[in-house]
Amino acid sequence: MKFNKITLVLLLASPSLFASPNLTISTSTNSRDFPLNSESPLIVPLTKASYTLKVTGIKGSCVAPAAQKVKFNQPLGLNCASPTELPIKIRFNGDYAFTFDADNKTIVINRQAKKSTQKAFKRPIPQVQCDTYDGGEVTVNLGDTYKDGTQLTDKISGQVVSVSQQQVTLTPAANSGGLILLEPLHKPIQEAEFNWRNANIYFVMIDRFNNADTSNDNSYGRRKDGKDEVGTFHGGDLKGVIEKLDYIQSLGTNAIWLSPIVEQVQGFVGGGNAGSFPFYSYHGYWTRDFTKIDNNFGNEDDLKRLVEQAHKRGMKVLLDVVINHSGYATLTDLQEDNITVVNPSENWPEQWGDWQPSKGQTWHSFNDNIDYNNAEWRNWWGGDWVRAGLPDYPKPGTNDRTLSLAGLPDFITESSKTVTPPQWLLNNPGTRVINRDNYTVADYLIKWQTDWVRRFGIDGYRVDTVKHVSGDVWTRLKAAATTSLEDWREENGKTGQPFWMMGEVWGHSAYRSPYYDEGFDALINFDMQKKMDQGASCFSQMADTYQSYADTLKQEPDFNPVSYMSSHDTELFFGRFKSFEMQRNAASALLLSPGAVQVYYGDEVARNIGPYADDFHQGTRSDMTWSLDVDRKKLLKHWQTLGQFRQDHPAIGAGNHQEIKQQNGYAFSRTLGADTVVVAFAGKPKSP
């Protein structure tokens, strides 16, 4: 989801280590990277907001002046050994230039007079120090990992070799990027037990994945915009996911994370800062009714079949849970629910959801006909349920727990007051919402979310915006979901692992924080995406990261990071370099990481960024690529090979990590019980 307070992070590195520094523009739920160099300024369009400037990675002994304030057109000093953090306020929408001076360790920010026409940024490939591979056979030192005489096979090339004097000699596959994946030729007959630390989670944004039922593409009177369709529903549905379960399984996937399936607000809001497109809740994070499946996505029979078919293939199903907020009030919903706060103007359409901007208007302009001071807003969610800037509603606060993310209604989950669901929700066709005695806001939300577990046997949650809800609510949610899954299993004669919960704490990296004490089994690791540029340029650059992650996993029994290379709220990795070689190498770096990993749909086939108007992150939710050219077929094959290798060997994500010294290249072993593998990197192949 999107938030309007943005954090700028400038990752400026020594030219000897990086091809160019990095500019990351982030919100509490969004981020985007840009290439930055000292030869020419980077021009970035920014909107009015309060920002934080963070500079890291400068080598040397420089120290920034204490408590310096950001002034435009003046050099800002940077720290070399530690991050530099400065607040900055943008008062005017426009293009801003960031000029980095590598010699003086400063950066200058100034506003540009002309609007930038640059929309796509291609990063130069990092020129990191890396061993090279000239071709032919290589000898891999195995240390004491395997006994002499043990037969091993390379998962990528299929070569079989025997261990002699703690070494093997073989030729890396031509399309491997110098990578070798060694496993015993004779594997244990017994299938390895699933381990969440080795989870390979495939994240599907349902609307953009696969459309198997075109009859529900425009439910609730939703419309196409007839242009780039940046923020409209594209038609993907649960049936479309079912159709592609064999494909998803082929990637070594053992858990599917579905974007929110529940009924969304039915109409649109203005998209982007300029209101340049109609923005519907195709992504699933603007809920209207937590107890129903959105008609665009399908129905309960579809969900039941999806879970059954996923389980049959050994894959678990995770639902995306949003408890912090509901969706906006759209024209369609206000008309449907008879919330009389709209003042229709001349030529207003009979169906309010058909409204379109006239000449001189934008997609924000419908707000001019809404009376936000009307007392009738009490008939919407009401002040006992949410914080909002409306009459008789509590005002949003300024801390994480009480603020209003992107102006969304903030559920008052900490309240102990008994509440009644709003009448429009009780009357919503097909709803399962009923009035319950002595229920608080949190009680209802927990009940609504965990009913999906009790009724369908859902295996776990991905939880949205964790830091914006108090920890006791998450603890209660985990306990209720655990009981719900146990009830479903008892009713259906099933057994399985405990309910699993993964949280999104924006900006969290790979360490054990107190959030793990609030019911979470894993947290999304925002750190890995920042490591991928180097790892994709040279696999051995992952050595320190792998060691750090593995050490923390060993020291903290209940810790589990979920690393990723692309996401719906940050970037598509392929959009950074537009290089199939880099995409393949990034797959290696990600899928061989300690801890769990998350694959964003289309990473495996280099899905291109889509149209995004004046909201970049819409482009990261482009339609899935199903028609594959030769390069994409090769990439998919590599991804499947590594994913299946990871699935076959829980030691990859959950095992003990041990680096093995080599004369050239990089190698390590991973061991978990009887499961042992060796991964070797012969060096970066020289270009032909």
Side-chain angles (χ1 to χ4, degrees):
M1 60 148 287
K2 187 180 177 185
F3 180 37
N4 55 9
K5 182 179 179 183
I6 299 179
T7 301
L8 286 180
V9 184
L10 274 71
L11 303 176
L12 308 182
S14 166
S16 64
L17 293 178
F18 298 87
S20 67
N22 211 29
L23 171 67
T24 303
I25 301 179
S26 305
T27 73
S28 65
T29 54
N30 290 290
S31 70
R32 183 186 181 190
D33 283 353
F34 301 90
L36 192 68
N37 60 67
S38 57
E39 283 74 37
S40 60
L42 172 67
I43 311 300
V44 181
L46 295 176
T47 57
K48 292 167 57 177
S50 293
Y51 297 74
T52 297
L53 192 69
K54 182 177 181 181
V55 181
T56 61
I58 308 297
K59 301 298 180 181
S61 58
C62 56
V63 178
Q68 64 178 330
K69 292 184 178 180
V70 173
K71 293 185 178 180
F72 292 94
N73 305 312
Q74 293 188 20
L76 298 167
L78 305 174
N79 293 317
C80 287
S82 61
T84 307
E85 295 193 17
L86 297 166
I88 176 174
K89 191 167 186 177
I90 300 297
R91 299 182 183 276
F92 302 98
N93 298 339
D95 293 343
Y96 290 80
F98 296 82
T99 304
F100 171 56
D101 186 332
D103 295 328
N104 295 311
K105 307 296 193 299
T106 62
I107 191 161
V108 175
I109 308 170
N110 56 63
R111 189 179 179 213
Q112 301 296 284
K114 293 184 179 180
K115 183 170 178 60
S116 171
T117 58
Q118 185 178 18
K119 297 225 177 189
F121 293 84
K122 183 177 178 180
R123 302 164 66 92
I125 294 176
Q127 301 300 308
V128 297
Q129 183 177 355
C130 192
D131 289 330
T132 58
Y133 168 58
D134 296 328
E137 289 188 334
V138 297
T139 297
V140 179
N141 177 30
L142 303 174
D144 58 359
T145 306
Y146 298 109
K147 294 180 180 179
D148 279 4
T150 302
Q151 286 190 300
L152 305 176
T153 183
D154 173 19
K155 180 73 173 181
I156 301 177
S157 69
Q159 295 171 82
V160 177
V161 292
S162 293
V163 180
S164 176
Q165 298 182 345
Q166 299 180 321
Q167 295 178 335
V168 292
T169 300
L170 72 168
T171 303
N175 61 345
S176 68
L179 194 67
I180 299 167
L181 307 178
L182 295 172
E183 61 184 1
L185 177 63
H186 304 292
K187 302 175 190 175
I189 297 176
Q190 185 176 359
E191 186 176 340
E193 182 180 355
F194 172 76
N195 189 314
W196 277 109
R197 279 187 165 182
N198 191 53
N200 184 355
I201 304 166
Y202 193 78
F203 173 28
V204 174
M205 180 157 284
I206 297 170
D207 177 67
R208 303 301 171 89
F209 188 62
N210 184 40
N211 187 358
D213 183 358
T214 57
S215 68
N216 61 14
D217 288 0
N218 296 294
S219 301
Y220 313 107
R222 292 166 177 155
R223 298 165 57 108
K224 303 296 186 183
D225 65 21
K227 296 180 180 178
D228 290 330
E229 310 299 341
V230 173
T232 58
F233 278 82
H234 289 195
D237 42 44
L238 294 173
K239 286 181 180 177
V241 180
I242 295 170
E243 277 190 354
K244 299 297 183 180
L245 285 176
D246 287 341
Y247 169 85
I248 295 172
Q249 183 186 26
S250 77
L251 301 172
T253 301
N254 38 40
I256 303 172
W257 157 18
L258 300 173
S259 58
I261 63 172
V262 295
E263 184 179 270
Q264 297 297 293
V265 295
Q266 297 179 0
F268 64 85
V269 295
N273 185 68
S276 59
F277 61 92
F279 192 178
Y280 292 86
S281 187
Y282 68 85
H283 46 64
Y285 294 97
W286 298 342
T287 303
R288 168 179 164 85
D289 188 334
F290 291 92
T291 70
K292 291 178 58 183
I293 295 176
D294 192 279
N295 289 345
N296 258 80
F297 302 146
N299 56 44
E300 292 189 357
D301 288 340
D302 298 333
L303 178 61
K304 183 175 186 291
R305 184 162 173 259
L306 193 160
V307 174
E308 289 174 346
Q309 291 299 314
H311 285 172
K312 189 177 293 186
R313 291 166 173 79
M315 295 185 290
K316 302 183 184 301
V317 177
L318 309 179
L319 292 188
D320 204 319
V321 166
V322 184
I323 280 182
N324 174 70
H325 56 269
S326 69
Y328 298 108
T330 71
L331 289 176
T332 301
D333 297 286
L334 292 173
Q335 184 176 31
E336 172 73 17
D337 301 332
N338 196 30
I339 310 296
T340 56
V341 296
V342 178
N343 301 314
S345 57
E346 188 178 356
N347 298 323
W348 196 263
E350 181 178 349
Q351 297 298 318
W352 296 355
D354 292 339
W355 182 93
Q356 296 186 60
S358 301
K359 185 177 181 180
Q361 292 183 317
T362 73
W363 286 97
H364 288 320
S365 297
F366 73 89
N367 288 286
D368 297 341
N369 293 88
I370 298 180
D371 182 359
Y372 287 102
N373 295 312
N374 195 317
E376 289 300 309
W377 279 106
R378 65 177 178 271
N379 295 320
W380 190 42
W381 277 101
D384 289 340
W385 276 86
V386 300
R387 298 179 182 88
L390 297 169
D392 299 322
Y393 281 71
K395 301 296 183 186
T398 57
N399 60 45
D400 284 337
R401 301 288 168 79
T402 62
L403 58 76
S404 174
L405 285 168
L408 290 159
D410 182 58
F411 282 124
I412 311 174
T413 52
E414 73 279 13
S415 174
S416 60
K417 185 176 182 178
T418 298
V419 295
T420 300
Q423 194 60 46
W424 63 264
L425 184 54
L426 292 167
N427 295 341
N428 195 30
T431 189
R432 297 177 67 89
V433 174
I434 61 173
N435 188 19
R436 297 178 180 274
D437 293 338
N438 301 317
Y439 263 50
T440 65
V441 171
D443 291 336
Y444 277 108
L445 290 167
I446 291 170
K447 172 64 176 174
W448 294 340
Q449 297 286 8
T450 57
D451 266 1
W452 295 107
V453 180
R454 181 185 58 78
R455 297 173 58 219
F456 294 92
I458 302 301
D459 301 286
Y461 290 148
R462 178 270 186 184
V463 177
D464 188 63
T465 54
V466 167
K467 67 181 178 181
H468 301 294
V469 176
S470 58
D472 65 296
V473 175
W474 301 132
T475 303
R476 291 175 56 202
L477 177 70
K478 175 66 175 299
T482 298
T483 300
S484 295
L485 182 56
E486 291 170 351
D487 290 346
W488 179 85
R489 286 174 174 164
E490 184 176 350
E491 292 173 7
N492 292 274
K494 305 287 186 180
T495 58
Q497 294 184 324
F499 189 86
W500 192 77
M501 203 158 84
M502 167 179 69
E504 178 223 26
V505 180
W506 185 259
H508 200 284
S509 56
Y511 70 98
R512 192 202 181 284
S513 69
Y515 290 106
Y516 283 91
D517 300 320
E518 297 175 356
F520 291 98
D521 300 289
L523 295 178
I524 294 174
N525 172 30
F526 289 78
D527 180 57
M528 176 61 88
Q529 191 179 48
K530 297 179 177 66
K531 312 285 188 184
M532 298 303 294
D533 291 7
Q534 311 305 310
S537 182
C538 178
F539 183 72
S540 57
Q541 291 289 316
M542 299 303 299
D544 290 345
T545 299
Y546 283 176
Q547 191 67 59
S548 174
Y549 289 6
D551 289 347
T552 308
L553 283 162
K554 188 174 183 179
Q555 295 162 8
E556 304 287 353
D558 61 348
F559 162 76
N560 190 9
V562 182
S563 301
Y564 69 90
M565 60 187 279
S566 302
S567 85
H568 62 310
D569 284 333
T570 56
E571 290 185 279
L572 296 185
F573 187 85
F574 187 67
R576 297 161 80 91
F577 301 100
K578 299 177 176 58
S579 161
F580 287 100
E581 179 182 344
M582 288 289 283
Q583 191 79 0
R584 177 201 63 195
N585 296 346
S588 302
L590 176 68
L591 293 172
L592 296 171
S593 176
V597 297
Q598 170 243 301
V599 177
Y600 189 31
Y601 76 100
D603 276 348
E604 72 278 8
V605 290
R607 175 168 58 89
N608 278 313
I609 192 168
Y612 53 85
D614 60 340
D615 183 350
F616 169 80
H617 296 94
Q618 303 308 317
T620 68
R621 297 102 178 249
S622 54
D623 289 337
M624 176 61 179
T625 304
W626 292 115
S627 179
L628 306 183
D629 56 23
V630 172
D631 287 329
R632 285 181 165 81
K633 287 178 180 177
K634 289 180 180 178
L635 176 62
L636 176 60
K637 177 61 178 176
H638 183 77
W639 208 290
Q640 290 169 327
T641 299
L642 265 72
Q644 292 167 15
F645 181 72
R646 181 184 178 96
Q647 185 176 51
D648 290 343
H649 299 287
I652 296 294
N656 182 60
H657 172 90
Q658 183 66 51
E659 186 170 341
I660 306 170
K661 297 297 182 183
Q662 307 292 313
Q663 282 192 333
N664 190 70
Y666 168 59
F668 58 82
S669 65
R670 298 268 174 82
T671 303
L672 182 67
D675 181 31
T676 298
V677 297
V678 170
V679 174
F681 174 62
K684 189 171 184 176
K686 288 187 176 180
S687 300

